[in-house]
Amino acid sequence: MNTMFAWGIGGTELILILVVVLVLFGAKKIPELAKGLGTGIKEFKKATREVTDEIQNASDDKAQPQNKSVTTSTPSQPAQTVSQSSNPPKA
């Protein structure tokens, strides 16, 4: 069975489909349908982006404790304070 037959829509078929849609829905409803379709696609993309961001954040949160344990295992030097005064101490 040839699968290209289903996707091989030519110019004549496309015009026929558009005429049928115009007759069924009317000229006033087509812009509303297109606007609704655009809004739906926009919401779908937003939801997809949010899910991928949550997955990325979850994988980053799992990776951070491993990195913290590596950095905290190295000994840290205590802070040294240096006194700066115009009168040096006498010995």
Side-chain angles (χ1 to χ4, degrees), residues 4-86:
M4 287 299 292
F5 180 77
W7 298 107
I9 297 176
T12 307
E13 291 88 2
L14 189 60
I15 291 173
L16 182 64
I17 292 170
L18 291 175
V19 168
V20 169
V21 168
L22 183 62
V23 168
L24 288 176
F25 295 107
K28 292 183 180 180
K29 290 287 182 180
I30 292 176
E32 293 175 16
L33 291 171
K35 182 179 178 182
L37 182 63
T39 304
I41 291 172
K42 188 166 101 174
E43 289 293 322
F44 180 77
K45 286 182 180 182
K46 180 182 173 185
T48 305
R49 189 177 328 113
E50 288 175 356
V51 168
T52 46
D53 288 345
E54 285 183 26
I55 292 171
Q56 184 67 30
N57 289 340
S59 66
D60 288 345
D61 290 343
K62 286 183 180 179
Q64 282 182 347
Q66 293 172 353
N67 292 339
K68 286 183 179 179
S69 65
V70 172
T71 57
T72 57
S73 65
T74 59
S76 61
Q77 296 289 331
Q80 296 178 353
T81 57
V82 177
S83 173
Q84 294 181 356
S85 65
S86 59

